[in-house]
Amino acid sequence: MTVHWFVDNVLRWIFLSLLLLDAYYLIFNKGIPNIRTAPAIRKRIIELLKIEVAKYNGSEPFTIVDMGSGNGLFTREIARAFPEARVIGLEISKTALAWSRRFKKLHKLNNIDYIDQDFYSYNLNHANAVVMYLTIFQMESMGKKLHEELKPGTLVTSNRFPLGDGWVPEQVIPVRTLYPHQKILNVYHQK
Ligand SMILES: C[S@@+](CC[C@H](N)C(=O)[O-])C[C@H]1O[C@@H](n2cnc3c(N)ncnc32)[C@H](O)[C@@H]1O
């Protein structure tokens, strides 16, 4: 195998694939990557949600919001785990929303609502739990929004990146996953 062969047969295709992926994010997702939360982290979040749901005694259904629900896989798992709860997926990507809605219908998960909206303009004052896996650049503004809008006691989980605006995680849970960069779950409650 020569360097020339390697560049021509391997590097060229890797480069082209990355370019296509970038073009996809740019055209369909405002440049924001749509990567899902690793299975082990999703499982850990559902365990945390179980504790919250068990102690909840409100009259409205327990409401869980996924900030940027992507293709909806995680919202579907949450909806299955908590059939009495209301699950809301906020998403700006039209393609991701179309997938999510199709699968919601296919799996007859009537306790999920997907909302085609920038999550910064969505008021979270009715949420009992908020889950997210966002970019580092969004964590400061998200921290500020959550401080302003969440009811005391609301659970917040953030995969990988900690919230900004002075939030201090009450737990930083290490989780073993095969996904690169997904090893840590930050857990908070609004004071
Ligand atoms: C990394 S994915 C996470 C998907 C899913 N929540 C999960 O944990 O598996 C982040 C999603 O957030 C969406 N997103 C990013 N900024 C957003 C915004 N301002 N409003 C709504 N959705 C947004 C992206 O389109 C992307 O689908």
Side-chain angles (χ1 to χ4, degrees):
M1 186 176 37
T2 63
V3 172
H4 191 260
W5 180 93
F6 184 75
V7 170
D8 228 31
N9 290 284
V10 181
L11 277 191
R12 185 164 66 143
W13 293 113
I14 293 177
F15 181 72
L16 261 175
S17 314
L18 287 175
L19 217 63
L20 280 174
L21 199 65
D22 271 356
Y24 169 83
Y25 290 141
L26 220 58
I27 296 165
F28 295 108
N29 223 29
K30 299 193 177 173
I32 302 164
N34 178 358
I35 305 159
R36 63 177 52 159
T37 291
I41 296 181
R42 300 202 301 268
K43 193 166 164 240
R44 197 69 186 83
I45 297 171
I46 288 179
E47 284 164 13
L48 293 168
L49 287 169
K50 273 187 188 147
I51 300 169
E52 301 297 308
V53 171
K55 63 183 186 206
Y56 178 70
N57 60 5
S59 53
E60 296 295 316
F62 189 90
T63 301
I64 304 153
V65 181
D66 186 356
M67 305 296 276
S69 46
N71 294 342
L73 175 73
F74 193 22
T75 47
R76 290 193 292 282
E77 284 181 0
I78 298 172
R80 269 190 218 103
F82 306 102
E84 306 302 325
R86 181 174 179 224
V87 183
I88 297 175
L90 303 174
E91 183 51 64
I92 38 168
S93 159
K94 307 280 180 215
T95 38
L97 278 164
W99 273 103
S100 307
R101 288 180 173 141
R102 186 168 306 164
F103 278 102
K104 167 193 151 144
K105 213 168 161 189
L106 196 72
H107 295 285
K108 300 190 174 62
L109 291 165
N110 296 324
N111 58 335
I112 316 179
D113 287 311
Y114 292 109
I115 303 179
D116 180 358
Q117 188 171 335
D118 183 325
F119 49 53
Y120 288 112
S121 66
Y122 181 89
N123 196 313
L124 291 164
N125 59 8
H126 63 111
N128 301 105
V130 176
V131 300
M132 73 193 72
Y133 176 27
L134 301 175
T135 63
I136 194 166
F137 310 106
Q138 292 167 304
M139 300 321 284
E140 187 63 29
S141 48
M142 184 52 64
K144 190 166 185 298
K145 174 179 174 63
L146 299 184
H147 265 146
E148 284 167 6
E149 295 177 7
L150 294 183
K151 292 183 290 213
T154 304
L155 171 77
V156 181
T157 69
S158 175
N159 180 9
R160 188 174 178 192
F161 298 114
L163 283 174
D165 196 43
W167 283 84
V168 179
E170 58 194 40
Q171 289 186 78
V172 178
I173 305 175
V175 186
R176 286 168 69 105
T177 80
L178 294 176
Y179 284 42
H181 312 302
Q182 293 193 45
K183 311 284 175 212
I184 283 186
L185 177 64
N186 300 281
V187 182
Y188 311 81
H189 280 92
Q190 167 81 311
K191 296 257 182 326

